[in-house]
Amino acid sequence: LLSAVPLARHCGVSARSGGSMHAVARQVTRAGAVARAGQRHLSSAGTIRVDFDKPFKTYECEGPTVMHYDATKDELLELWRTMYKMRRMELAADQLYKSKQIRGFCHLYDGQEAVCVGMEAAITYKDSIITAYRDHCQQLSRGDTVESIMSELMGKATGCAKGKGGSMHMYHAKNNFFGGNGIVGAQQPLGAGLAFAHKYREDGSVAFTLYGDGAANQGQLFEAMNMAALWKLPVIFVCENNQYGMGTAKGRASSLTDYYKRGQYMPGLQCDGMHVLQVKDAVTYASQHCRSGAGPFVIEFDTYRYHGHSMSDPGITYRDRTEVSGVREKRDPVNKAKSWLLELAGFQEDELKTIETAIRKDIDAAVATAKAASEPPASELIADIYCGQKPNMFVRGCDMNTSYGDYSVSA
C-alpha cells in the first residue's frame, strides 16, 4: 500500500481530501487498469489499435481478415474532427430550415458521417463519387467549404452551384464529385459510366456510386451492375443502409435485406457503417479489388440516420424515439471516435472541448457569411443550360413574348 503513494502522486491522485490510504489505493488500482488497457492497444510501431465492434460479412470474397485497425494519434484526431465538423454543419442546416432560411427539400446526414469520412480516408480525389440527394457531407469531404455549402442551401450566388441547385444538387467536378442527384436511383448507372471513363482512360481510379436501401430495388441498379460485371468496370456500388427508405422499414420493402449480396455475380461485403475505421478498411479492400482489374464490387454499410428522411419528415411516425436515442447512445460514430481519443490516445477532455468550440465558431461564421451573401441575379435563370452556350442562345419562355435571345441561334 505504501508503494502505491508515489504512483498515486504521479497519477494525480491525492489522499488529503479523499480520506484513507485505502481510498487512494482503490483510485490507483483504477488508474493502473486504465493505463494497462491503453498499453494493450499500442502496437510495436507506436500506433493505436482500435478494435472493430462487428465482424465483416462477406459474399464471394474472403474480405478483410483482421478485426482491428492500427491508427496513428493524428489520424484518429483528424477523423473525429472531420465528423464533428459535419455533424455541426448538418445541425446548423436543421436550424436554418426551421427558421425558413432554407426552403424546398433538405436531407440531412447526421448519424451517417462515418461512411463519408471513412470512405474518403481510403481514396483520393482522383477517384470519382456520385450519390443521391443526401449529399452535403460528400460535398465537404471532396474539398468544398462550409460557407459554399451553406450559401447553396440558402440559394445564394456564392453557393457551389450558384444558388441554383440547393440541397439535392451539389457538385464539385474539380475533385470528381458528381452530385447530388434528386431522382431516386438515377446516380447508379451514372456511377457505372464514371467507372467506364476511368477504365477507358486507364487512369487507375475507381468510381463509387452511393445509394440507400430504399433505392436498392431500382431496376436501373441491376442493369448498371450487369454492364459493370460484363465490362469489369472499376466501380464500387455502395449501399448506405440507414434502415428506412423514406418511411418504410427495409424489411417491408426488400425480400432480401442482405444488400451486399445483391450483386449476385460480383463480390460483396457488409461492414459496420458507424465505425469510421472499419469503413476505411472495407473501402481499402474493395478498392484494391477494383484497381486490380477484377471488376465491380458491392459494399453495404450498416448505418443510421437521426433525422427523418427529409426535414419535412419528423422521423418518429414509423419508428419511436427510444430507437433513435438507443442508436445515439450505443453506436454514434462521432462519440465513438471521441472515446478512442480519450481512452486510447491520451487526449484530455478539455483539449477536445477546445477543438469543438473552435469548430462551432467556424460553422457560425460560415453561416453568417452565407446569410449576408446576395441571391443570384435573374439572368442566371437562362445561364448554364448548356456548357459553353452562346450569349444570345434562344431560350423559350412560357410564351414567345417572354422568351430570351435570338430565335435563329441554338446552343
Side-chain angles (χ1 to χ4, degrees):
L1 182 60
L2 290 177
S3 66
V5 174
L7 178 58
R9 289 170 181 163
H10 176 72
C11 295
V13 179
S14 172
R16 291 181 181 175
S17 59
S20 69
M21 288 298 295
H22 290 285
V24 174
R26 285 195 296 271
Q27 293 182 61
V28 169
T29 301
R30 287 196 293 270
V34 171
R36 288 192 296 275
Q39 289 169 358
R40 285 198 298 271
H41 284 79
L42 289 177
S43 75
S44 59
T47 54
I48 300 162
R49 195 188 82 185
V50 179
D51 293 327
F52 299 154
D53 301 324
K54 295 182 176 182
F56 292 99
K57 293 184 180 179
T58 62
Y59 174 75
E60 299 295 332
C61 68
E62 182 180 1
T65 56
V66 178
M67 280 301 297
H68 67 266
Y69 184 94
D70 293 325
T72 66
K73 186 174 180 179
D74 289 343
E75 182 180 14
L76 289 180
L77 180 62
E78 187 58 31
L79 291 172
W80 167 74
R81 190 202 310 265
T82 304
M83 288 193 292
Y84 185 79
K85 184 177 183 179
M86 289 178 175
R87 176 68 58 84
R88 297 310 309 178
M89 180 182 74
E90 292 294 73
L91 293 180
D94 170 271
Q95 294 303 308
L96 289 169
Y97 190 92
K98 289 174 179 175
S99 63
K100 299 184 178 180
Q101 294 179 77
I102 295 175
R103 297 178 180 272
F105 291 104
C106 184
H107 304 79
L108 300 182
Y109 201 70
D110 51 318
Q112 299 181 215
E113 297 92 346
V115 173
C116 178
V117 175
M119 189 173 74
E120 197 68 67
I123 61 178
T124 73
Y125 288 163
K126 292 181 180 179
D127 299 304
S128 299
I129 297 177
I130 189 168
T131 189
Y133 34 75
R134 205 178 302 277
D135 60 350
H136 311 160
C137 292
Q138 279 77 17
Q139 181 76 11
L140 186 65
S141 74
R142 288 270 106 177
D144 205 356
T145 65
V146 175
E147 180 185 327
S148 172
I149 294 167
M150 289 300 181
S151 295
E152 188 60 36
L153 287 171
M154 288 188 273
K156 300 302 180 72
T158 53
C160 55
K162 302 182 182 179
K164 298 189 289 183
S167 172
M168 299 195 295
H169 301 102
M170 296 191 176
Y171 201 77
H172 202 51
K174 171 186 172 184
N175 290 336
N176 286 312
F177 179 55
F178 296 95
N181 293 267
I183 305 300
V184 175
Q187 73 279 9
Q188 296 162 345
L190 296 178
L194 291 169
F196 181 86
H198 287 311
K199 184 170 183 175
Y200 185 82
R201 294 170 180 161
E202 298 181 346
D203 59 16
S205 297
V206 175
F208 293 79
T209 178
L210 281 61
Y211 56 95
D213 51 286
N217 298 319
Q218 285 274 322
Q220 55 191 327
L221 172 62
F222 298 97
E223 294 176 28
M225 284 180 167
N226 181 59
M227 295 176 72
L230 277 173
W231 297 339
K232 293 191 179 299
L233 301 182
V235 57
I236 299 177
F237 294 96
V238 179
C239 178
E240 294 186 89
N241 178 10
N242 62 20
Q243 316 307 319
Y244 297 92
M246 297 187 72
T248 304
K250 62 183 182 182
R252 296 181 58 214
S254 298
S255 178
L256 176 66
T257 57
D258 292 332
Y259 297 104
Y260 66 103
K261 297 179 180 178
R262 291 288 192 94
Q264 187 178 349
Y265 27 68
M266 63 184 74
L269 189 65
Q270 187 195 72
C271 159
D272 182 0
M274 308 293 268
H275 194 298
V276 66
L277 293 174
Q278 191 171 8
V279 169
K280 181 181 179 181
D281 217 26
V283 172
T284 299
Y285 180 89
S287 298
Q288 290 171 348
H289 170 90
C290 291
R291 295 188 210 280
S292 72
F297 202 95
V298 180
I299 299 180
E300 175 192 348
F301 289 121
D302 176 20
T303 185
Y304 199 83
R305 57 169 165 80
Y306 295 148
H307 272 84
H309 173 72
S310 69
M311 285 300 296
S312 60
D313 168 22
I316 53 172
T317 56
Y318 48 87
R319 58 183 186 178
D320 57 42
R321 296 181 187 275
T322 56
E323 177 184 314
V324 181
S325 62
V327 176
R328 283 185 185 273
E329 180 182 351
K330 297 178 181 179
R331 299 184 65 204
D332 184 80
V334 182
N335 290 340
K336 188 190 300 284
K338 185 177 181 179
S339 72
W340 301 333
L341 293 172
L342 293 171
E343 298 169 14
L344 305 179
F347 282 90
Q348 299 300 311
E349 184 71 46
D350 58 346
E351 293 179 273
L352 301 186
K353 182 62 68 175
T354 299
I355 295 172
E356 290 175 345
T357 301
I359 290 174
R360 286 173 181 250
K361 288 181 179 179
D362 288 344
I363 299 293
D364 290 344
V367 170
T369 302
K371 285 181 178 180
S374 302
E375 294 182 352
S379 59
E380 283 294 332
L381 284 171
I382 54 174
D384 303 318
I385 298 173
Y386 294 97
C387 181
Q389 72 184 49
K390 298 173 184 176
N392 59 338
M393 183 189 78
F394 179 75
V395 180
R396 176 69 184 265
C398 58
D399 57 52
M400 288 300 291
N401 293 328
T402 59
S403 299
Y404 171 85
D406 188 334
Y407 187 74
S408 64
V409 179
S410 63

